[in-house]
Amino acid sequence: MDNTRIEELKSITSEVRKDILRMVGMARSGPYETPLAAAGLLVYLYWEELVLIPSEPERGDRDRFVLGMPEAVPALYAALARRGFFEREHLWHYRRLGAMLQAHPDFRRIPGMDAPCLTVQPSLAMAASLARELASRRFRPRVAFVVSDEALRSDEFAEETCRAAKLDIPNLFMIILCGGDMDGGALPEGWETRRAAGGDFAALEGACGSFDFSRGAPKALAVRADGGFAISSIGAGRQGEPHSLSLGELDMALEELEVRSSEYK
């Protein structure tokens, strides 16, 4: 990946983050900290790694995507809209009664979504079953499953990763978004594992490119959340406390992101 492409991906990520803030701000509800942290990872996956073409949803060789982080749903909506799966206009009706984009996605109504967003254990079981079914196909499409590192502290999730490790599903690709220091964190046993920083697109490309998805164990990539998104104008004095964005905070945050995005133009 050359520097020009890296700068392009940074610019796209900045636009996705602005859309996250706009949609959550206009809805006056919804999470934004985790979506902002996940934006870079989703941009890499949807723009660089996964075979997912908006205009060709019936392609037999396309990859599938399963989100196991309900708190990151706004980031997925914003990425899908920017990638062209549906009009961005839908973002501004987020969480409204009858709108397509609800707090919990209805995958049957949203272009680009292959599965419901459930809690982590059933999400992994669903992703593993889907990957196993696709593994028998000629092109062996991958199933990318994104989950928070909080899941690794769950005994039920650990048991599910052990079950998946014993199956012949090399095309199952779990991406673990780590909020803190991931260097000492335990990754699932029996999986091929790698680590990368979420804000480093070249590192993500290198880690993903080192996997052989046609053979071997299921794959797991631990990704440290991109800390470069932190917005100084949000929640000053209220760090860690969930709250709705005020219009003033929204305006200041968008202005801050606008200044940063000008660096990539």
PDB file of all heavy atoms in Angstrom, residues 85-122:
ATOM      1  N   PHE A  85     -23.587   1.340  -0.278  1.00  0.00           N
ATOM      2  CA  PHE A  85     -24.619   0.309  -0.144  1.00  0.00           C
ATOM      3  C   PHE A  85     -26.020   0.921  -0.068  1.00  0.00           C
ATOM      4  O   PHE A  85     -26.995   0.276  -0.395  1.00  0.00           O
ATOM      5  CB  PHE A  85     -24.352  -0.558   1.098  1.00  0.00           C
ATOM      6  CG  PHE A  85     -23.235  -1.549   0.892  1.00  0.00           C
ATOM      7  CD1 PHE A  85     -21.923  -1.220   1.210  1.00  0.00           C
ATOM      8  CD2 PHE A  85     -23.492  -2.806   0.363  1.00  0.00           C
ATOM      9  CE1 PHE A  85     -20.895  -2.135   1.019  1.00  0.00           C
ATOM     10  CE2 PHE A  85     -22.474  -3.725   0.163  1.00  0.00           C
ATOM     11  CZ  PHE A  85     -21.165  -3.383   0.491  1.00  0.00           C
ATOM     12  N   PHE A  86     -26.110   2.140   0.434  1.00  0.00           N
ATOM     13  CA  PHE A  86     -27.381   2.865   0.445  1.00  0.00           C
ATOM     14  C   PHE A  86     -27.089   4.359   0.542  1.00  0.00           C
ATOM     15  O   PHE A  86     -25.944   4.769   0.791  1.00  0.00           O
ATOM     16  CB  PHE A  86     -28.306   2.403   1.577  1.00  0.00           C
ATOM     17  CG  PHE A  86     -27.665   2.383   2.943  1.00  0.00           C
ATOM     18  CD1 PHE A  86     -27.509   3.546   3.687  1.00  0.00           C
ATOM     19  CD2 PHE A  86     -27.222   1.184   3.492  1.00  0.00           C
ATOM     20  CE1 PHE A  86     -26.931   3.533   4.944  1.00  0.00           C
ATOM     21  CE2 PHE A  86     -26.629   1.155   4.764  1.00  0.00           C
ATOM     22  CZ  PHE A  86     -26.487   2.323   5.483  1.00  0.00           C
ATOM     23  N   GLU A  87     -28.107   5.170   0.310  1.00  0.00           N
ATOM     24  CA  GLU A  87     -27.936   6.618   0.316  1.00  0.00           C
ATOM     25  C   GLU A  87     -27.611   7.134   1.721  1.00  0.00           C
ATOM     26  O   GLU A  87     -28.180   6.668   2.718  1.00  0.00           O
ATOM     27  CB  GLU A  87     -29.209   7.297  -0.187  1.00  0.00           C
ATOM     28  CG  GLU A  87     -29.548   6.977  -1.638  1.00  0.00           C
ATOM     29  CD  GLU A  87     -28.528   7.557  -2.601  1.00  0.00           C
ATOM     30  OE1 GLU A  87     -27.952   8.614  -2.280  1.00  0.00           O
ATOM     31  OE2 GLU A  87     -28.315   6.956  -3.672  1.00  0.00           O
ATOM     32  N   ARG A  88     -26.718   8.113   1.784  1.00  0.00           N
ATOM     33  CA  ARG A  88     -26.363   8.692   3.096  1.00  0.00           C
ATOM     34  C   ARG A  88     -27.563   9.359   3.759  1.00  0.00           C
ATOM     35  O   ARG A  88     -27.571   9.566   4.967  1.00  0.00           O
ATOM     36  CB  ARG A  88     -25.217   9.699   2.933  1.00  0.00           C
ATOM     37  CG  ARG A  88     -23.882   9.041   2.666  1.00  0.00           C
ATOM     38  CD  ARG A  88     -22.793  10.073   2.405  1.00  0.00           C
ATOM     39  NE  ARG A  88     -22.589  10.954   3.523  1.00  0.00           N
ATOM     40  CZ  ARG A  88     -22.635  12.293   3.440  1.00  0.00           C
ATOM     41  NH1 ARG A  88     -22.860  12.872   2.273  1.00  0.00           N
ATOM     42  NH2 ARG A  88     -22.435  13.035   4.502  1.00  0.00           N
ATOM     43  N   GLU A  89     -28.556   9.710   2.982  1.00  0.00           N
ATOM     44  CA  GLU A  89     -29.747  10.340   3.542  1.00  0.00           C
ATOM     45  C   GLU A  89     -30.352   9.507   4.671  1.00  0.00           C
ATOM     46  O   GLU A  89     -30.917  10.052   5.634  1.00  0.00           O
ATOM     47  CB  GLU A  89     -30.783  10.538   2.422  1.00  0.00           C
ATOM     48  CG  GLU A  89     -32.119  11.111   2.866  1.00  0.00           C
ATOM     49  CD  GLU A  89     -32.002  12.552   3.341  1.00  0.00           C
ATOM     50  OE1 GLU A  89     -31.037  13.227   2.960  1.00  0.00           O
ATOM     51  OE2 GLU A  89     -32.880  12.971   4.116  1.00  0.00           O
ATOM     52  N   HIS A  90     -30.205   8.179   4.563  1.00  0.00           N
ATOM     53  CA  HIS A  90     -30.764   7.314   5.602  1.00  0.00           C
ATOM     54  C   HIS A  90     -30.104   7.556   6.964  1.00  0.00           C
ATOM     55  O   HIS A  90     -30.717   7.318   8.009  1.00  0.00           O
ATOM     56  CB  HIS A  90     -30.592   5.840   5.206  1.00  0.00           C
ATOM     57  CG  HIS A  90     -31.502   5.402   4.095  1.00  0.00           C
ATOM     58  ND1 HIS A  90     -32.855   5.183   4.262  1.00  0.00           N
ATOM     59  CD2 HIS A  90     -31.242   5.142   2.786  1.00  0.00           C
ATOM     60  CE1 HIS A  90     -33.390   4.800   3.111  1.00  0.00           C
ATOM     61  NE2 HIS A  90     -32.445   4.777   2.207  1.00  0.00           N
ATOM     62  N   LEU A  91     -28.854   8.006   6.952  1.00  0.00           N
ATOM     63  CA  LEU A  91     -28.147   8.226   8.224  1.00  0.00           C
ATOM     64  C   LEU A  91     -28.848   9.267   9.084  1.00  0.00           C
ATOM     65  O   LEU A  91     -28.829   9.190  10.311  1.00  0.00           O
ATOM     66  CB  LEU A  91     -26.706   8.667   7.958  1.00  0.00           C
ATOM     67  CG  LEU A  91     -25.797   7.696   7.192  1.00  0.00           C
ATOM     68  CD1 LEU A  91     -24.429   8.332   6.987  1.00  0.00           C
ATOM     69  CD2 LEU A  91     -25.666   6.370   7.916  1.00  0.00           C
ATOM     70  N   TRP A  92     -29.445  10.239   8.437  1.00  0.00           N
ATOM     71  CA  TRP A  92     -30.029  11.359   9.197  1.00  0.00           C
ATOM     72  C   TRP A  92     -31.378  10.988   9.810  1.00  0.00           C
ATOM     73  O   TRP A  92     -32.005  11.798  10.479  1.00  0.00           O
ATOM     74  CB  TRP A  92     -30.159  12.595   8.323  1.00  0.00           C
ATOM     75  CG  TRP A  92     -29.019  12.782   7.368  1.00  0.00           C
ATOM     76  CD1 TRP A  92     -29.085  13.164   6.070  1.00  0.00           C
ATOM     77  CD2 TRP A  92     -27.608  12.595   7.638  1.00  0.00           C
ATOM     78  NE1 TRP A  92     -27.842  13.205   5.509  1.00  0.00           N
ATOM     79  CE2 TRP A  92     -26.919  12.867   6.435  1.00  0.00           C
ATOM     80  CE3 TRP A  92     -26.877  12.198   8.759  1.00  0.00           C
ATOM     81  CZ2 TRP A  92     -25.529  12.762   6.332  1.00  0.00           C
ATOM     82  CZ3 TRP A  92     -25.494  12.092   8.654  1.00  0.00           C
ATOM     83  CH2 TRP A  92     -24.837  12.383   7.476  1.00  0.00           C
ATOM     84  N   HIS A  93     -31.848   9.754   9.557  1.00  0.00           N
ATOM     85  CA  HIS A  93     -33.092   9.268  10.166  1.00  0.00           C
ATOM     86  C   HIS A  93     -32.809   8.140  11.159  1.00  0.00           C
ATOM     87  O   HIS A  93     -33.718   7.400  11.526  1.00  0.00           O
ATOM     88  CB  HIS A  93     -34.050   8.775   9.075  1.00  0.00           C
ATOM     89  CG  HIS A  93     -34.365   9.814   8.046  1.00  0.00           C
ATOM     90  ND1 HIS A  93     -35.247  10.849   8.284  1.00  0.00           N
ATOM     91  CD2 HIS A  93     -33.882  10.013   6.785  1.00  0.00           C
ATOM     92  CE1 HIS A  93     -35.307  11.625   7.203  1.00  0.00           C
ATOM     93  NE2 HIS A  93     -34.488  11.147   6.291  1.00  0.00           N
ATOM     94  N   TYR A  94     -31.551   8.026  11.541  1.00  0.00           N
ATOM     95  CA  TYR A  94     -31.111   6.996  12.490  1.00  0.00           C
ATOM     96  C   TYR A  94     -31.981   7.018  13.755  1.00  0.00           C
ATOM     97  O   TYR A  94     -32.214   8.067  14.335  1.00  0.00           O
ATOM     98  CB  TYR A  94     -29.645   7.265  12.829  1.00  0.00           C
ATOM     99  CG  TYR A  94     -29.047   6.483  13.974  1.00  0.00           C
ATOM    100  CD1 TYR A  94     -29.019   5.103  13.976  1.00  0.00           C
ATOM    101  CD2 TYR A  94     -28.468   7.166  15.049  1.00  0.00           C
ATOM    102  CE1 TYR A  94     -28.431   4.406  15.025  1.00  0.00           C
ATOM    103  CE2 TYR A  94     -27.871   6.479  16.089  1.00  0.00           C
ATOM    104  CZ  TYR A  94     -27.857   5.094  16.078  1.00  0.00           C
ATOM    105  OH  TYR A  94     -27.279   4.409  17.120  1.00  0.00           O
ATOM    106  N   ARG A  95     -32.482   5.851  14.121  1.00  0.00           N
ATOM    107  CA  ARG A  95     -33.269   5.621  15.339  1.00  0.00           C
ATOM    108  C   ARG A  95     -34.681   6.219  15.294  1.00  0.00           C
ATOM    109  O   ARG A  95     -35.377   6.201  16.291  1.00  0.00           O
ATOM    110  CB  ARG A  95     -32.547   6.133  16.592  1.00  0.00           C
ATOM    111  CG  ARG A  95     -31.371   5.247  16.999  1.00  0.00           C
ATOM    112  CD  ARG A  95     -30.896   5.549  18.402  1.00  0.00           C
ATOM    113  NE  ARG A  95     -30.069   4.463  18.926  1.00  0.00           N
ATOM    114  CZ  ARG A  95     -29.700   4.345  20.187  1.00  0.00           C
ATOM    115  NH1 ARG A  95     -30.113   5.238  21.071  1.00  0.00           N
ATOM    116  NH2 ARG A  95     -28.957   3.340  20.583  1.00  0.00           N
ATOM    117  N   ARG A  96     -35.089   6.782  14.152  1.00  0.00           N
ATOM    118  CA  ARG A  96     -36.458   7.296  14.079  1.00  0.00           C
ATOM    119  C   ARG A  96     -37.429   6.154  13.827  1.00  0.00           C
ATOM    120  O   ARG A  96     -37.086   5.165  13.162  1.00  0.00           O
ATOM    121  CB  ARG A  96     -36.581   8.327  12.958  1.00  0.00           C
ATOM    122  CG  ARG A  96     -35.856   9.624  13.255  1.00  0.00           C
ATOM    123  CD  ARG A  96     -36.123  10.651  12.176  1.00  0.00           C
ATOM    124  NE  ARG A  96     -35.304  11.837  12.360  1.00  0.00           N
ATOM    125  CZ  ARG A  96     -35.264  12.859  11.527  1.00  0.00           C
ATOM    126  NH1 ARG A  96     -36.019  12.838  10.433  1.00  0.00           N
ATOM    127  NH2 ARG A  96     -34.493  13.894  11.760  1.00  0.00           N
ATOM    128  N   LEU A  97     -38.640   6.303  14.315  1.00  0.00           N
ATOM    129  CA  LEU A  97     -39.664   5.281  14.147  1.00  0.00           C
ATOM    130  C   LEU A  97     -39.898   5.009  12.662  1.00  0.00           C
ATOM    131  O   LEU A  97     -40.187   5.932  11.893  1.00  0.00           O
ATOM    132  CB  LEU A  97     -40.970   5.735  14.810  1.00  0.00           C
ATOM    133  CG  LEU A  97     -42.125   4.732  14.776  1.00  0.00           C
ATOM    134  CD1 LEU A  97     -41.761   3.484  15.572  1.00  0.00           C
ATOM    135  CD2 LEU A  97     -43.399   5.365  15.333  1.00  0.00           C
ATOM    136  N   GLY A  98     -39.790   3.744  12.259  1.00  0.00           N
ATOM    137  CA  GLY A  98     -40.035   3.353  10.885  1.00  0.00           C
ATOM    138  C   GLY A  98     -38.854   3.513   9.949  1.00  0.00           C
ATOM    139  O   GLY A  98     -38.920   3.093   8.794  1.00  0.00           O
ATOM    140  N   ALA A  99     -37.775   4.135  10.411  1.00  0.00           N
ATOM    141  CA  ALA A  99     -36.600   4.338   9.554  1.00  0.00           C
ATOM    142  C   ALA A  99     -35.855   3.017   9.337  1.00  0.00           C
ATOM    143  O   ALA A  99     -36.004   2.067  10.110  1.00  0.00           O
ATOM    144  CB  ALA A  99     -35.666   5.369  10.170  1.00  0.00           C
ATOM    145  N   MET A 100     -35.042   2.983   8.292  1.00  0.00           N
ATOM    146  CA  MET A 100     -34.305   1.749   7.982  1.00  0.00           C
ATOM    147  C   MET A 100     -33.232   1.455   9.018  1.00  0.00           C
ATOM    148  O   MET A 100     -32.976   0.297   9.352  1.00  0.00           O
ATOM    149  CB  MET A 100     -33.664   1.882   6.590  1.00  0.00           C
ATOM    150  CG  MET A 100     -32.957   0.621   6.123  1.00  0.00           C
ATOM    151  SD  MET A 100     -32.344   0.763   4.425  1.00  0.00           S
ATOM    152  CE  MET A 100     -30.934   1.858   4.653  1.00  0.00           C
ATOM    153  N   LEU A 101     -32.586   2.495   9.533  1.00  0.00           N
ATOM    154  CA  LEU A 101     -31.446   2.317  10.431  1.00  0.00           C
ATOM    155  C   LEU A 101     -31.867   2.481  11.882  1.00  0.00           C
ATOM    156  O   LEU A 101     -32.004   3.603  12.379  1.00  0.00           O
ATOM    157  CB  LEU A 101     -30.342   3.319  10.074  1.00  0.00           C
ATOM    158  CG  LEU A 101     -29.878   3.291   8.616  1.00  0.00           C
ATOM    159  CD1 LEU A 101     -28.781   4.312   8.396  1.00  0.00           C
ATOM    160  CD2 LEU A 101     -29.416   1.901   8.199  1.00  0.00           C
ATOM    161  N   GLN A 102     -32.087   1.372  12.536  1.00  0.00           N
ATOM    162  CA  GLN A 102     -32.484   1.392  13.936  1.00  0.00           C
ATOM    163  C   GLN A 102     -31.286   1.091  14.841  1.00  0.00           C
ATOM    164  O   GLN A 102     -30.205   0.745  14.370  1.00  0.00           O
ATOM    165  CB  GLN A 102     -33.593   0.373  14.176  1.00  0.00           C
ATOM    166  CG  GLN A 102     -34.890   0.712  13.461  1.00  0.00           C
ATOM    167  CD  GLN A 102     -35.496   2.018  13.975  1.00  0.00           C
ATOM    168  OE1 GLN A 102     -35.641   2.228  15.177  1.00  0.00           O
ATOM    169  NE2 GLN A 102     -35.834   2.911  13.053  1.00  0.00           N
ATOM    170  N   ALA A 103     -31.490   1.228  16.152  1.00  0.00           N
ATOM    171  CA  ALA A 103     -30.396   0.967  17.087  1.00  0.00           C
ATOM    172  C   ALA A 103     -29.891  -0.462  16.947  1.00  0.00           C
ATOM    173  O   ALA A 103     -28.679  -0.714  16.963  1.00  0.00           O
ATOM    174  CB  ALA A 103     -30.868   1.230  18.515  1.00  0.00           C
ATOM    175  N   HIS A 104     -30.811  -1.414  16.800  1.00  0.00           N
ATOM    176  CA  HIS A 104     -30.441  -2.806  16.536  1.00  0.00           C
ATOM    177  C   HIS A 104     -30.807  -3.097  15.075  1.00  0.00           C
ATOM    178  O   HIS A 104     -31.981  -3.051  14.716  1.00  0.00           O
ATOM    179  CB  HIS A 104     -31.164  -3.755  17.486  1.00  0.00           C
ATOM    180  CG  HIS A 104     -30.714  -3.599  18.899  1.00  0.00           C
ATOM    181  ND1 HIS A 104     -29.537  -4.136  19.360  1.00  0.00           N
ATOM    182  CD2 HIS A 104     -31.269  -2.932  19.943  1.00  0.00           C
ATOM    183  CE1 HIS A 104     -29.387  -3.817  20.638  1.00  0.00           C
ATOM    184  NE2 HIS A 104     -30.414  -3.091  21.014  1.00  0.00           N
ATOM    185  N   PRO A 105     -29.830  -3.386  14.246  1.00  0.00           N
ATOM    186  CA  PRO A 105     -30.075  -3.484  12.795  1.00  0.00           C
ATOM    187  C   PRO A 105     -31.010  -4.624  12.422  1.00  0.00           C
ATOM    188  O   PRO A 105     -30.938  -5.716  12.998  1.00  0.00           O
ATOM    189  CB  PRO A 105     -28.673  -3.738  12.224  1.00  0.00           C
ATOM    190  CG  PRO A 105     -27.720  -3.389  13.300  1.00  0.00           C
ATOM    191  CD  PRO A 105     -28.419  -3.601  14.592  1.00  0.00           C
ATOM    192  N   ASP A 106     -31.862  -4.353  11.461  1.00  0.00           N
ATOM    193  CA  ASP A 106     -32.657  -5.394  10.824  1.00  0.00           C
ATOM    194  C   ASP A 106     -31.951  -5.731   9.517  1.00  0.00           C
ATOM    195  O   ASP A 106     -32.091  -5.017   8.524  1.00  0.00           O
ATOM    196  CB  ASP A 106     -34.082  -4.901  10.563  1.00  0.00           C
ATOM    197  CG  ASP A 106     -34.957  -5.981   9.947  1.00  0.00           C
ATOM    198  OD1 ASP A 106     -34.410  -7.016   9.520  1.00  0.00           O
ATOM    199  OD2 ASP A 106     -36.189  -5.782   9.884  1.00  0.00           O
ATOM    200  N   PHE A 107     -31.169  -6.802   9.543  1.00  0.00           N
ATOM    201  CA  PHE A 107     -30.317  -7.102   8.381  1.00  0.00           C
ATOM    202  C   PHE A 107     -31.132  -7.405   7.136  1.00  0.00           C
ATOM    203  O   PHE A 107     -30.618  -7.338   6.028  1.00  0.00           O
ATOM    204  CB  PHE A 107     -29.375  -8.268   8.704  1.00  0.00           C
ATOM    205  CG  PHE A 107     -30.028  -9.621   8.732  1.00  0.00           C
ATOM    206  CD1 PHE A 107     -29.910 -10.488   7.665  1.00  0.00           C
ATOM    207  CD2 PHE A 107     -30.755 -10.030   9.833  1.00  0.00           C
ATOM    208  CE1 PHE A 107     -30.501 -11.738   7.685  1.00  0.00           C
ATOM    209  CE2 PHE A 107     -31.353 -11.280   9.862  1.00  0.00           C
ATOM    210  CZ  PHE A 107     -31.236 -12.127   8.791  1.00  0.00           C
ATOM    211  N   ARG A 108     -32.398  -7.736   7.300  1.00  0.00           N
ATOM    212  CA  ARG A 108     -33.225  -8.026   6.118  1.00  0.00           C
ATOM    213  C   ARG A 108     -33.628  -6.755   5.387  1.00  0.00           C
ATOM    214  O   ARG A 108     -34.053  -6.793   4.246  1.00  0.00           O
ATOM    215  CB  ARG A 108     -34.478  -8.792   6.563  1.00  0.00           C
ATOM    216  CG  ARG A 108     -34.172 -10.178   7.128  1.00  0.00           C
ATOM    217  CD  ARG A 108     -35.323 -10.729   7.912  1.00  0.00           C
ATOM    218  NE  ARG A 108     -35.641  -9.899   9.063  1.00  0.00           N
ATOM    219  CZ  ARG A 108     -36.511 -10.228  10.012  1.00  0.00           C
ATOM    220  NH1 ARG A 108     -37.150 -11.366   9.925  1.00  0.00           N
ATOM    221  NH2 ARG A 108     -36.737  -9.415  11.024  1.00  0.00           N
ATOM    222  N   ARG A 109     -33.481  -5.593   6.033  1.00  0.00           N
ATOM    223  CA  ARG A 109     -33.869  -4.329   5.411  1.00  0.00           C
ATOM    224  C   ARG A 109     -32.679  -3.480   4.976  1.00  0.00           C
ATOM    225  O   ARG A 109     -32.864  -2.489   4.259  1.00  0.00           O
ATOM    226  CB  ARG A 109     -34.707  -3.496   6.395  1.00  0.00           C
ATOM    227  CG  ARG A 109     -36.037  -4.092   6.785  1.00  0.00           C
ATOM    228  CD  ARG A 109     -36.782  -3.132   7.695  1.00  0.00           C
ATOM    229  NE  ARG A 109     -37.046  -1.849   7.040  1.00  0.00           N
ATOM    230  CZ  ARG A 109     -37.395  -0.744   7.696  1.00  0.00           C
ATOM    231  NH1 ARG A 109     -37.487  -0.757   9.010  1.00  0.00           N
ATOM    232  NH2 ARG A 109     -37.621   0.372   7.039  1.00  0.00           N
ATOM    233  N   ILE A 110     -31.483  -3.811   5.462  1.00  0.00           N
ATOM    234  CA  ILE A 110     -30.331  -2.938   5.252  1.00  0.00           C
ATOM    235  C   ILE A 110     -29.376  -3.544   4.232  1.00  0.00           C
ATOM    236  O   ILE A 110     -28.775  -4.595   4.484  1.00  0.00           O
ATOM    237  CB  ILE A 110     -29.591  -2.686   6.580  1.00  0.00           C
ATOM    238  CG1 ILE A 110     -30.552  -2.082   7.607  1.00  0.00           C
ATOM    239  CG2 ILE A 110     -28.392  -1.783   6.357  1.00  0.00           C
ATOM    240  CD1 ILE A 110     -29.946  -1.900   8.973  1.00  0.00           C
ATOM    241  N   PRO A 111     -29.218  -2.920   3.053  1.00  0.00           N
ATOM    242  CA  PRO A 111     -28.259  -3.434   2.069  1.00  0.00           C
ATOM    243  C   PRO A 111     -26.852  -3.492   2.656  1.00  0.00           C
ATOM    244  O   PRO A 111     -26.413  -2.576   3.353  1.00  0.00           O
ATOM    245  CB  PRO A 111     -28.333  -2.396   0.942  1.00  0.00           C
ATOM    246  CG  PRO A 111     -29.678  -1.759   1.095  1.00  0.00           C
ATOM    247  CD  PRO A 111     -29.947  -1.731   2.577  1.00  0.00           C
ATOM    248  N   GLY A 112     -26.162  -4.580   2.387  1.00  0.00           N
ATOM    249  CA  GLY A 112     -24.796  -4.727   2.880  1.00  0.00           C
ATOM    250  C   GLY A 112     -24.673  -5.492   4.165  1.00  0.00           C
ATOM    251  O   GLY A 112     -23.563  -5.847   4.565  1.00  0.00           O
ATOM    252  N   MET A 113     -25.775  -5.754   4.836  1.00  0.00           N
ATOM    253  CA  MET A 113     -25.714  -6.525   6.079  1.00  0.00           C
ATOM    254  C   MET A 113     -26.097  -7.974   5.792  1.00  0.00           C
ATOM    255  O   MET A 113     -27.101  -8.249   5.139  1.00  0.00           O
ATOM    256  CB  MET A 113     -26.635  -5.937   7.151  1.00  0.00           C
ATOM    257  CG  MET A 113     -26.142  -4.596   7.688  1.00  0.00           C
ATOM    258  SD  MET A 113     -26.805  -4.187   9.320  1.00  0.00           S
ATOM    259  CE  MET A 113     -25.969  -5.392  10.356  1.00  0.00           C
ATOM    260  N   ASP A 114     -25.276  -8.895   6.292  1.00  0.00           N
ATOM    261  CA  ASP A 114     -25.505 -10.317   6.042  1.00  0.00           C
ATOM    262  C   ASP A 114     -26.134 -11.034   7.222  1.00  0.00           C
ATOM    263  O   ASP A 114     -26.582 -12.176   7.074  1.00  0.00           O
ATOM    264  CB  ASP A 114     -24.165 -11.004   5.727  1.00  0.00           C
ATOM    265  CG  ASP A 114     -23.574 -10.517   4.422  1.00  0.00           C
ATOM    266  OD1 ASP A 114     -24.274 -10.585   3.392  1.00  0.00           O
ATOM    267  OD2 ASP A 114     -22.421 -10.055   4.434  1.00  0.00           O
ATOM    268  N   ALA A 115     -26.119 -10.402   8.400  1.00  0.00           N
ATOM    269  CA  ALA A 115     -26.568 -11.108   9.599  1.00  0.00           C
ATOM    270  C   ALA A 115     -27.004 -10.091  10.645  1.00  0.00           C
ATOM    271  O   ALA A 115     -26.584  -8.933  10.608  1.00  0.00           O
ATOM    272  CB  ALA A 115     -25.428 -11.959  10.144  1.00  0.00           C
ATOM    273  N   PRO A 116     -27.839 -10.509  11.581  1.00  0.00           N
ATOM    274  CA  PRO A 116     -28.199  -9.606  12.672  1.00  0.00           C
ATOM    275  C   PRO A 116     -27.005  -9.351  13.581  1.00  0.00           C
ATOM    276  O   PRO A 116     -26.044 -10.120  13.593  1.00  0.00           O
ATOM    277  CB  PRO A 116     -29.309 -10.377  13.407  1.00  0.00           C
ATOM    278  CG  PRO A 116     -29.063 -11.808  13.072  1.00  0.00           C
ATOM    279  CD  PRO A 116     -28.504 -11.822  11.695  1.00  0.00           C
ATOM    280  N   CYS A 117     -27.043  -8.266  14.324  1.00  0.00           N
ATOM    281  CA  CYS A 117     -25.993  -7.937  15.284  1.00  0.00           C
ATOM    282  C   CYS A 117     -26.463  -8.412  16.652  1.00  0.00           C
ATOM    283  O   CYS A 117     -27.335  -7.799  17.264  1.00  0.00           O
ATOM    284  CB  CYS A 117     -25.725  -6.433  15.284  1.00  0.00           C
ATOM    285  SG  CYS A 117     -24.398  -5.931  16.383  1.00  0.00           S
ATOM    286  N   LEU A 118     -25.881  -9.512  17.110  1.00  0.00           N
ATOM    287  CA  LEU A 118     -26.308 -10.137  18.364  1.00  0.00           C
ATOM    288  C   LEU A 118     -25.209 -10.007  19.402  1.00  0.00           C
ATOM    289  O   LEU A 118     -24.155  -9.428  19.144  1.00  0.00           O
ATOM    290  CB  LEU A 118     -26.621 -11.614  18.119  1.00  0.00           C
ATOM    291  CG  LEU A 118     -27.629 -11.920  16.999  1.00  0.00           C
ATOM    292  CD1 LEU A 118     -27.684 -13.417  16.755  1.00  0.00           C
ATOM    293  CD2 LEU A 118     -29.002 -11.377  17.358  1.00  0.00           C
ATOM    294  N   THR A 119     -25.468 -10.561  20.583  1.00  0.00           N
ATOM    295  CA  THR A 119     -24.402 -10.635  21.579  1.00  0.00           C
ATOM    296  C   THR A 119     -23.323 -11.569  21.063  1.00  0.00           C
ATOM    297  O   THR A 119     -23.523 -12.349  20.129  1.00  0.00           O
ATOM    298  CB  THR A 119     -24.946 -11.145  22.917  1.00  0.00           C
ATOM    299  OG1 THR A 119     -25.631 -12.379  22.704  1.00  0.00           O
ATOM    300  CG2 THR A 119     -25.890 -10.135  23.529  1.00  0.00           C
ATOM    301  N   VAL A 120     -22.165 -11.515  21.682  1.00  0.00           N
ATOM    302  CA  VAL A 120     -20.984 -12.101  21.067  1.00  0.00           C
ATOM    303  C   VAL A 120     -21.045 -13.613  20.876  1.00  0.00           C
ATOM    304  O   VAL A 120     -20.617 -14.128  19.834  1.00  0.00           O
ATOM    305  CB  VAL A 120     -19.721 -11.721  21.862  1.00  0.00           C
ATOM    306  CG1 VAL A 120     -19.439 -10.249  21.682  1.00  0.00           C
ATOM    307  CG2 VAL A 120     -19.857 -12.081  23.323  1.00  0.00           C
ATOM    308  N   GLN A 121     -21.537 -14.364  21.871  1.00  0.00           N
ATOM    309  CA  GLN A 121     -21.505 -15.816  21.726  1.00  0.00           C
ATOM    310  C   GLN A 121     -22.357 -16.302  20.556  1.00  0.00           C
ATOM    311  O   GLN A 121     -21.861 -17.038  19.686  1.00  0.00           O
ATOM    312  CB  GLN A 121     -21.930 -16.498  23.014  1.00  0.00           C
ATOM    313  CG  GLN A 121     -21.828 -18.018  22.914  1.00  0.00           C
ATOM    314  CD  GLN A 121     -22.492 -18.718  24.074  1.00  0.00           C
ATOM    315  OE1 GLN A 121     -23.076 -18.085  24.938  1.00  0.00           O
ATOM    316  NE2 GLN A 121     -22.405 -20.030  24.099  1.00  0.00           N
ATOM    317  N   PRO A 122     -23.647 -15.927  20.485  1.00  0.00           N
ATOM    318  CA  PRO A 122     -24.418 -16.376  19.318  1.00  0.00           C
ATOM    319  C   PRO A 122     -23.902 -15.795  18.009  1.00  0.00           C
ATOM    320  O   PRO A 122     -24.037 -16.425  16.959  1.00  0.00           O
ATOM    321  CB  PRO A 122     -25.842 -15.910  19.626  1.00  0.00           C
ATOM    322  CG  PRO A 122     -25.717 -14.879  20.680  1.00  0.00           C
ATOM    323  CD  PRO A 122     -24.496 -15.231  21.454  1.00  0.00           C
TER     324      PRO A 122
END
